Amino acid sequence: MKTLAVINPHSAGGKTGRDAQSIATRLAEVAGPITVALTNGPMDAARITTHALMEGFERVVAVGGDGTINEVVNGFFQDGQAINPEAEFALLNLGTGGDFRKTFDIEAGFDASLERIAEGRVRRIDVGRFTFVTPAGQSGMRHFANIASFGMSGHVVDRVNRSPLKRALGGFVYTWASVTALFSYKARPVRLKVDNLFDDVVKISTCAVCNGQFFGGGMRVAPDAAPDDGLLDVIIMADAPKANVLKSLGDIKSGAHVNNPNVRVFRAKSVIATPVEATAGAAVHIEADGESPGRLPAMFEVLPKALKFRA
């Protein structure tokens, strides 16, 4: 099988780049001959993946963190369609995060991911797709393998990605940013339409549209999400007093927050999120797998069994 390893040399504080040769050698031992490509900037992994699939590569391995995984998954699609539906996606999770792997019970570290690739078991998983407004005010489209969300979570990710502490502190920086965001984020009213199940204006703290279960450095925001059921778990957390939100952070870690009366849970194929007029000029930011692509309004939908995942 013709295999490409897309390596983000900046992941894990630069350690991935320093170990790139040994990573490639060990991957080749279980995956056969491989071609290696190193990324140079934002969305580079997506462009590299798209080009490789068009050139006939049959498997692409994302080597890095959740952001690298997101970019590689985006590279499997062009104009909203799979480039090669039979091509395989695999991962070596070496970045500061690691939320995507947790849904599949893949332990942290190089060896655990490598073992899954060596086992050779492939499953088809769903992929999320959403249209949104880019920072330049244009229409954009992105895919996500794990979770896309908006509200305070989008505000947090935007702060994390701009923080020089991200590489040094890893997952802890998400907790730090979440706590500090409690005192800086102002909840926005958003009209949410979730299939034909829900249609109302909600003053949003965070709304998560979930294919996987974990986000934000280990928070189990969607404890019942299954990445191959053809549906997205929609977790709506309405605005609440700061003290209540602070106390609920521990519940989100375990998934117990879904029992909170301030939280609504739906399982759906699509979600439409539109800020109400009162929020004009106050952007509601979106995050997807830890990346910050843009803002609302947005439409999220599921692509059932759209990706072959070797895990």
Side-chain angles (χ1 to χ4, degrees):
M1 180 173 283
K2 196 175 179 183
T3 301
L4 174 71
V6 180
I7 299 178
N8 177 2
H10 300 293
S11 71
K15 188 176 186 300
T16 302
R18 294 190 295 272
D19 295 344
Q21 185 57 58
S22 62
I23 289 170
T25 299
R26 291 196 60 193
L27 179 58
E29 289 173 357
V30 302
I34 64 170
T35 300
V36 173
L38 272 64
T39 62
N40 292 313
M43 294 306 290
D44 203 23
R47 290 187 288 269
I48 291 170
T49 299
T50 294
H51 180 75
L53 293 174
M54 289 181 167
E55 292 295 312
F57 279 85
E58 301 159 289
R59 181 197 298 149
V60 180
V61 183
V63 184
D66 287 324
T68 307
I69 290 169
N70 176 271
E71 289 194 15
V72 168
V73 168
N74 270 276
F76 273 75
F77 301 87
Q78 189 172 56
D79 299 325
Q81 301 296 320
I83 295 170
N84 177 4
E86 297 304 314
E88 292 182 6
F89 163 71
L91 65 88
L92 289 175
N93 202 144
L94 303 174
T96 55
D99 286 319
F100 177 71
R101 64 171 173 80
K102 292 184 177 74
T103 296
F104 302 92
D105 296 320
I106 301 174
E107 297 295 327
F110 180 84
D111 292 334
S113 293
L114 194 67
E115 182 180 347
R116 292 296 182 98
I117 295 174
E119 286 174 357
R121 289 185 292 179
V122 178
R123 63 187 290 185
R124 282 198 174 273
I125 64 171
D126 305 330
V127 172
R129 178 174 66 195
F130 64 104
T131 54
F132 61 99
V133 179
T134 70
Q138 300 174 333
S139 177
M141 177 187 290
R142 288 282 289 268
H143 297 78
F144 61 97
N146 189 33
I147 291 174
S149 68
F150 52 90
M152 189 171 75
S153 59
H155 176 76
V156 166
V157 168
D158 181 62
R159 293 189 67 183
V160 167
N161 287 341
R162 289 188 287 108
S163 171
L165 299 176
K166 180 179 180 182
R167 292 182 185 176
L169 299 180
F172 173 76
V173 75
Y174 285 97
T175 302
W176 167 81
S178 297
V179 173
T180 57
L182 290 175
F183 304 99
S184 61
Y185 178 73
K186 294 183 179 180
R188 317 291 188 195
V190 175
R191 181 183 177 185
L192 292 173
K193 189 175 187 305
V194 183
D195 281 356
N196 60 351
L197 306 171
F198 181 82
D199 188 350
D200 204 352
V201 174
V202 180
K203 198 171 185 182
I204 289 292
S205 173
T206 289
C207 179
V209 183
C210 310
N211 192 39
Q213 298 180 5
F214 297 86
F215 81 159
M219 296 182 183
R220 199 173 191 182
V221 68
D224 298 317
D228 56 2
D229 64 355
L231 296 168
L232 297 166
D233 281 34
V234 184
I235 315 298
I236 303 171
M237 291 177 271
D239 190 31
K242 305 296 184 185
N244 291 0
V245 177
L246 186 60
K247 287 194 297 184
S248 72
L249 285 178
D251 288 339
I252 298 176
K253 283 282 187 180
S254 67
H257 66 291
V258 296
N259 299 314
N260 188 310
N262 200 49
V263 176
R264 300 190 186 199
V265 180
F266 298 97
R267 192 162 283 143
K269 293 182 178 180
S270 68
V271 179
I272 299 173
T274 309
V276 300
E277 283 187 23
T279 65
V284 181
H285 293 285
I286 302 170
E287 68 83 24
D289 296 343
E291 300 298 301
S292 305
R295 58 181 171 84
L296 300 186
M299 176 178 177
F300 305 81
E301 57 188 330
V302 65
L303 306 179
K305 304 286 196 301
L307 186 66
K308 291 180 74 173
F309 180 33
R310 179 176 286 262

